[in-house]
Amino acid sequence: MKRDKLIDQIKDEYAHLASTESQEAFIQSTTDLTPEEYYEKLLSKAIDEINKGTFDDFKSGEEVVSAIANDKTLLSGWKVL
């Protein structure tokens, strides 16, 4: 149940980030992916990791998103492209 709640929370966090991201600044700082595509990839990987138990000690979706933002190695096999 806790994992389902974390998944719901990170979905909201990433949706908010994607909707507020400046497309021009985003492309300059990452790849040719749109913010929506980038955050969708992050969300998918984050959900996989939540289901594996990687974030069982985390208290909120915001905490998970923040940790991933600071350390992409938390996501198994993370690649932007």
Side-chain angles (χ1 to χ4, degrees), residues 12-49:
D12 291 343
E13 290 289 326
Y14 282 128
H16 175 73
L17 288 169
S19 69
T20 59
E21 189 74 50
S22 162
Q23 182 70 33
E24 184 176 328
F26 185 86
I27 288 175
Q28 290 173 355
S29 65
T30 59
T31 68
D32 289 334
L33 293 175
T34 66
E36 292 82 9
E37 291 168 331
Y38 177 78
Y39 289 117
E40 186 63 33
K41 288 180 77 69
L42 277 175
L43 174 62
S44 176
K45 289 289 191 178
I47 289 171
D48 290 346
E49 293 301 323

Side-chain angles (χ1 to χ4, degrees), residues 47-63:
I47 289 171
D48 290 346
E49 293 301 323
I50 287 171
N51 287 326
K52 289 180 190 175
T54 303
F55 299 109
D56 281 356
D57 292 335
F58 287 65
K59 306 273 188 267
S60 71
E62 183 178 359
E63 191 178 338

